[in-house]
Amino acid sequence: MTFDARGGKPPASRNNALFAVAVVAVVGGAFMLALKFPVAPKFSPADTGSHTIAATVQAPTAQVPSGWTSEAAQTYFATLSRVDPGASTTLNKRLARISGKPRVEQSEIVFAHAADVLKDHAADLARADTRHLDDILVMTRDRLRSASHSGSPWCQGARFADLDQTSFADRAALNRELKMLEEPLRDYGLALVSHLLVAIEDARSNPVSRGALTQTDKAAMQGVMMSMLSDPQVMPLLMAAQTGGDADKLVKSLNVCDLGATAVTAIKTLPQDTKGRAFADLVRQMELGGGDLSRLSQF
C-alpha cells in the first residue's frame, strides 16, 4: 500500500533497513518537525516563473581523502569542493590529521563538518527548488525498495524487535550488533548531503522565495501522518499497544524497508508548495539551533 496526500490510490510499488531508519528519523521527522515550529523565515514574494535546474550531483573531479573510496564519498567530496572550496580545504586538512583513525571517527568529523556547512548556507538552502527535495525522497524510496526486493535480512522486523532502551543506552554494544549497517548508512548520509549541496548551488542562481506555513499546509502534513498510521503494517501495532496484544510478534513480521518506502512515498505526494514551505521552515530551525549530523553513519 502507498499513501497519497493528494487523495486517490497510486499504484503500489545491496541496501539495508538503515534507509528505513533514516526515513523515519530524518526525512519523515523533518516534515513533522515543521508542525512543532510554525514560524517560517520571512522572504520576499515568490517568483513563480519556472526554470531548468542545471546543477546536478556530478561525477568526482576533486581530490578525495585517503580511504574514502566509495562512489558516494567521491561524489560528496567533489561536490563540496565545487560548492564551497574553503570548507572543502578545511575538511581535507582535518581528515589528513586523523588519517590513521577508524572510519567511524572520521565519519563523525565529516558529518559534523557537513552540518556546519549546511548551517552556513541555510539562507540559500531554504530557497532551493522543491525538486531537489523530491530527488532526495526518490533516492531514499528507491534504495528502500531495492533492499526489500533483494531480500535483505535487515528489512526484517525481527532484526530490530529485540532492541530496547537498554540496547540503545549501550551505544558501543549497539554499534557492534548493527555493524554491517555502518557503511551503507554512511554512504546514504553522504548522498543525502551531496543532494543538499547541489540544492544550495542551484538556489544561488535560481532562488525560490516562500512565505510561512499555512493552515492548509499543516492539515496536509497531518493528513500524511494519519495515513501512515493507517498502513496495514502499522495499524495492528497500534491496536496491540492499545489492547495489550502481542506487539513484539507483530514487530517481527514487519518489512521495515517497505514501511519506510511507503512513508517516503506519502511525503512525496504532499503539494509542492507545502513541501517547499515545510522544508524552508525546517532549514530555518536548523540555522537557529544548529544541526548534529555527526552520528549519521552510526546508530
Side-chain angles (χ1 to χ4, degrees):
M1 174 180 178
T2 57
F3 306 123
D4 192 338
R6 301 164 300 190
K9 297 181 179 180
S13 12
R14 192 165 61 217
N15 303 298
N16 300 308
L18 60 94
F19 298 117
V21 177
V23 169
V24 175
V26 179
V27 182
F31 273 89
M32 297 313 130
L33 185 66
L35 296 178
K36 296 172 61 179
F37 300 99
V39 180
K42 303 299 183 181
F43 298 133
S44 58
D47 175 5
T48 57
S50 63
H51 63 271
T52 300
I53 296 179
T56 58
V57 179
Q58 298 176 0
T61 57
Q63 180 178 358
V64 178
S66 175
W68 291 80
T69 57
S70 72
E71 181 179 353
Q74 293 182 40
T75 297
Y76 173 68
F77 285 105
T79 306
L80 177 63
S81 177
R82 188 179 72 245
V83 176
D84 192 332
S88 175
T89 299
T90 298
L91 178 58
N92 284 341
K93 289 180 178 179
R94 289 180 184 174
L95 291 177
R97 289 196 293 267
I98 61 168
S99 59
K101 297 288 186 179
R103 188 51 44 84
V104 170
E105 294 184 31
Q106 294 188 44
S107 294
E108 290 187 9
I109 297 296
V110 169
F111 287 114
H113 178 270
D116 289 338
V117 172
L118 294 179
K119 184 176 180 180
D120 289 343
H121 297 282
D124 285 326
L125 185 57
R127 293 174 172 84
D129 193 286
T130 313
R131 282 174 284 182
H132 293 291
L133 179 59
D134 284 336
D135 287 344
I136 291 173
L137 295 173
V138 168
M139 174 192 71
T140 305
R141 180 202 64 195
D142 290 350
R143 293 190 182 204
L144 284 161
R145 287 178 175 174
S146 176
S148 179
H149 293 163
S150 67
S152 169
W154 288 100
C155 291
Q156 300 169 8
R159 285 280 186 173
F160 307 95
D162 295 329
L163 297 179
D164 53 20
Q165 291 295 334
T166 303
S167 301
F168 284 94
D170 188 346
R171 183 173 294 278
L174 183 64
N175 284 339
R176 288 194 298 271
E177 177 69 19
L178 303 177
K179 179 67 176 178
M180 70 180 295
L181 298 183
E182 179 186 313
E183 183 175 352
L185 182 55
R186 179 170 58 243
D187 280 350
Y188 172 81
L190 291 169
L192 172 65
V193 181
S194 293
H195 277 286
L196 294 174
L197 289 176
V198 169
I200 289 168
E201 184 179 39
D202 178 54
R204 291 171 179 169
S205 302
N206 304 294
V208 180
S209 297
R210 301 181 174 96
L213 281 167
T214 68
Q215 290 301 318
T216 300
D217 295 332
K218 295 174 187 178
M221 290 187 287
Q222 289 169 340
V224 165
M225 181 181 289
M226 293 305 297
S227 69
M228 290 179 187
L229 296 179
S230 67
D231 179 80
Q233 289 200 91
V234 176
M235 183 60 73
L237 287 172
L238 297 178
M239 296 296 294
Q242 293 174 356
T243 62
D246 190 354
D248 287 345
K249 181 178 180 180
L250 292 172
V251 169
K252 291 179 181 180
S253 69
L254 288 177
N255 184 314
V256 183
C257 298
D258 283 348
L259 186 60
T262 300
V264 173
T265 299
I267 294 171
K268 190 175 183 302
T269 66
L270 283 166
Q272 292 297 94
D273 287 346
T274 295
K275 280 187 289 188
R277 285 188 287 268
F279 182 70
D281 190 74
L282 173 66
V283 171
R284 174 62 175 167
Q285 299 307 318
M286 178 193 73
E287 184 181 17
L288 293 176
D292 181 9
L293 303 183
S294 63
R295 298 286 182 181
L296 194 52
S297 63
Q298 306 174 51
F299 282 89

